[in-house]
């Protein structure tokens, strides 16, 4: 077994000792449950870890990661995570976070057959198609790439807002609120894209209203949701 692999367990031992030195009941408290206010949907890229870049502690953020931070309604993994976070953990904020230099977005911009990755990358290519006029006007390839990363985050936020569990919970509790971020690897800074959650929700409800408002309002009055 490689030395780097064994180092992981040594690091874990040191981490346990450090935490117990700070708080003898740390793991006892950790095992009691979780009540995070944030759901973070990010890229699987090894350079962009949610808790570290957010400065959050164990138990403070619920995390889902995949290639290029996509929320595809046919992907049961991401949709199940969102539904669990919204209905059971009662998170107050859902964050979709992309990052500049994303390999998944770069691959989607490349005219190449990626085999089993093609259906996944098609979601990003659909983002390009939706915003092709704006993107084609950007002559600098790097700037176009960066802008597609931002637009991909925006479209994935919209996909989150389309979900019935998100709409229903917001009507009942005014939460969760959906945010779009980009992480800049070159500076280490998080950039808030200032997604207008309420305006997006208002604009899409003509087509994507899944709340059955009579049912939702009766549940709100009973406070049993």
């Amino acid at each position: 077994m490689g030395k780097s692999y064994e180092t992981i367990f040594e690091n874990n031992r040191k981490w346990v000792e450090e935490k117990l030195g700070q708080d003898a009941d740390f793991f006892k408290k950790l095992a009691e449950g979780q009540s995070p206010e944030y759901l973070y949907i990010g890229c699987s890229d090894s350079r962009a870890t949610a808790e570290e870049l957010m400065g959050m502690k164990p138990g403070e953020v619920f995390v889902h990661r995949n290639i290029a931070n996509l929320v595809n309604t046919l992907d049961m993994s991401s949709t199940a995570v969102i539904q669990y976070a919204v209905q059971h953990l009662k998170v107050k904020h859902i964050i979709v976070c992309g990052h500049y230099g994303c390999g998944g977005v770069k691959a989607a911009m490349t005219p190449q057959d990626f085999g089993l990755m093609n259906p996944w990358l098609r979601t990003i290519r659909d983002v390009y198609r939706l915003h092709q006029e704006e993107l084609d006007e950007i002559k600098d390839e790097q700037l176009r790439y960066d802008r597609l990363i931002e637009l991909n985050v925006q479209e994935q936020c919209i996909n989150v807002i389309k979900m019935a569990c998100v709409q229903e919970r917001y009507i009942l509790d005014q939460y969760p609120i959906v945010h779009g971020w980009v992480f800049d690897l070159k500076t280490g800074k998080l950039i808030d894209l200032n997604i207008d959650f309420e305006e997006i929700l208002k604009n899409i409800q003509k087509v994507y209203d899944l709340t059955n408002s009579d049912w939702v309002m009766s549940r709100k009055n009973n406070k049993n949701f």
Side-chain angles (χ1 to χ4, degrees):
M1 200 69 70
K3 184 177 180 181
S4 62
Y5 179 83
E6 294 176 356
T7 300
I8 292 173
F9 291 92
E10 177 61 20
N11 291 341
N12 172 254
R13 183 187 64 78
K14 292 178 181 178
W15 178 72
V16 170
E17 290 180 354
E18 179 186 353
K19 292 300 181 185
L20 291 176
Q22 296 170 353
D23 181 356
D25 293 326
F26 178 82
F27 293 104
K28 179 180 178 182
K29 295 174 183 175
L30 196 65
E32 289 175 353
Q34 60 175 331
S35 55
E37 290 192 3
Y38 300 91
L39 166 60
Y40 174 98
I41 301 170
C43 183
S44 296
D45 193 296
S46 62
R47 300 166 295 175
T49 57
E51 294 89 346
E52 187 171 7
L53 65 89
M54 294 173 69
M56 305 295 272
K57 299 175 183 177
E60 292 182 337
V61 55
F62 198 58
V63 178
H64 175 77
R65 298 172 68 186
N66 60 46
I67 294 174
N69 42 271
L70 301 186
V71 179
N72 186 320
T73 55
L74 297 179
D75 172 30
M76 291 189 66
S77 178
S78 61
T79 54
V81 165
I82 293 169
Q83 182 151 350
Y84 182 79
V86 169
Q87 292 188 340
H88 298 281
L89 297 179
K90 305 293 185 183
V91 297
K92 292 185 177 181
H93 302 274
I94 299 175
I95 298 154
V96 178
C97 185
H99 66 94
Y100 295 129
C102 180
V105 174
K106 188 68 171 180
M109 294 176 69
T110 305
Q112 182 177 338
D113 183 354
F114 289 97
L116 291 175
M117 285 291 297
N118 287 335
W120 192 260
L121 297 176
R122 188 175 299 128
T123 299
I124 308 171
R125 288 172 174 150
D126 286 343
V127 174
Y128 199 120
R129 176 178 55 81
L130 288 170
H131 299 275
Q132 186 170 356
E133 184 175 351
E134 175 188 347
L135 290 165
D136 286 350
E137 288 181 357
I138 303 173
K139 303 307 178 184
D140 184 284
E141 184 177 0
Q142 184 61 48
L143 294 178
R144 190 186 316 123
Y145 175 27
D146 289 347
R147 183 55 180 152
L148 179 56
I149 287 166
E150 295 170 352
L151 290 170
N152 181 52
V153 169
Q154 175 182 301
E155 291 299 328
Q156 304 319 309
C157 286
I158 292 173
N159 286 342
V160 174
I161 298 169
K162 291 175 185 177
M163 293 182 63
C165 63
V166 174
Q167 294 183 29
E168 290 166 356
R169 170 96 189 286
Y170 183 75
I171 289 173
L172 294 169
D173 299 332
Q174 298 301 290
Y175 286 108
I177 298 172
V178 179
H179 310 270
W181 296 354
V182 175
F183 176 55
D184 189 341
L185 290 165
K186 293 180 180 179
T187 65
K189 294 182 178 179
L190 286 170
I191 300 166
D192 190 344
L193 298 179
N194 294 310
I195 300 296
D196 192 335
F197 168 70
E198 290 189 352
E199 185 65 20
I200 292 173
L201 179 61
K202 177 182 176 182
N203 289 339
I204 70 171
Q205 278 197 318
K206 182 176 182 180
V207 176
Y208 298 102
D209 185 357
L210 306 176
T211 59
N212 186 355
S213 57
D214 291 340
W215 175 84
V216 172
M217 294 313 295
S218 67
R219 297 281 284 186
K220 184 174 183 179
N221 291 335
N222 292 332
K223 295 292 184 179
N224 289 326
F225 184 71

